[in-house]
Amino acid sequence: MRRRIYWLLPDLPSARRTMDDLLLARISERHIHFVAREDADMTGLHQANVLQTSDVIRAAEMGLVVGGSAGSLIGVIAAIYFPIIGDSPQWGLAAVLGMLGAGFGAWSASMIGISVPSQRLKRFTPMIEQGQILLMVDVPNSRVQEIEARLQALHPEAHLEGVESNVLAFP
């Protein structure tokens, strides 16, 4: 299990030094994510991707539930009132429509969610717009205090903004 540590850094040189220090602390680059204004030069930094900066995951989950429920309901109605063969309900139709509804719901909701900024990062928007850089670093539970202490000692200009416990394994 990993935890995400949030840090606000004042400028690009500080962010680059922090990136180097995290790499020296044996944190792999794929677990280090930076978010800055769109016009910022992020050369040498591992930028956060769409999965970290948008609500695409949450939207897809919601679409999966809503689409699956709607598809299943329509499938049950169709199975009972419009049987394909004979007069008995076709329960396989309900299952198929439930799966199709879940897939369509997840796909369509994720297309909307990809354009919506992440609710987790919403509180950092004013600081990012002022030119600060947000660092999100995902570390194992056993290393959270070590990495926090290291960054506080090496980067007094940075501000710890909190730790989040439920980090997805794949982004």
Side-chain angles (χ1 to χ4, degrees):
M1 186 72 177
R2 292 189 169 273
R3 299 184 110 184
R4 178 164 288 167
I5 306 172
Y6 294 99
W7 286 84
L8 274 173
L9 304 160
D11 53 24
L12 190 59
S14 175
R16 286 189 178 127
R17 287 190 311 273
T18 305
M19 173 84 171
D20 292 340
D21 289 332
L22 287 169
L23 291 171
L24 289 172
R26 300 177 113 24
I27 302 294
S28 68
E29 188 174 336
R30 69 185 185 102
H31 294 296
I32 303 169
H33 318 285
F34 289 93
V35 179
R37 288 191 318 213
E38 287 187 31
D39 62 341
D41 176 27
M42 299 287 282
T43 306
L45 299 177
H46 187 246
Q47 271 187 285
N49 63 29
V50 165
L51 293 175
Q52 286 113 20
T53 60
S54 72
D55 260 355
V56 67
I57 300 293
R58 190 180 67 79
E61 290 170 346
M62 185 64 84
L64 183 77
V65 170
V66 171
S69 299
S72 295
L73 179 65
I74 291 169
V76 166
I77 291 170
I80 293 173
Y81 294 110
F82 306 107
I84 297 172
I85 301 170
D87 291 334
S88 61
Q90 306 292 312
W91 297 116
L93 180 63
V96 168
L97 287 179
M99 288 186 282
L100 289 173
F104 181 75
W107 173 77
S108 60
S110 67
M111 293 297 108
I112 295 167
I114 204 164
S115 65
V116 176
S118 172
Q119 293 299 313
R120 293 177 173 167
L121 303 183
K122 193 174 191 174
R123 65 185 170 123
F124 301 113
T125 302
M127 285 78 81
I128 292 170
E129 290 302 318
Q130 292 172 3
Q132 294 184 36
I133 298 173
L134 176 65
L135 163 65
M136 300 178 291
V137 59
D138 303 334
V139 297
N141 286 341
S142 60
R143 295 195 64 198
V144 169
Q145 291 178 341
E146 169 200 343
I147 298 300
E148 283 180 3
R150 180 181 179 92
L151 290 178
Q152 286 174 345
L154 296 174
H155 300 280
E157 75 279 7
H159 298 284
L160 175 64
E161 294 293 328
V163 178
E164 183 178 51
S165 61
N166 53 351
V167 178
L168 297 172
F170 58 89

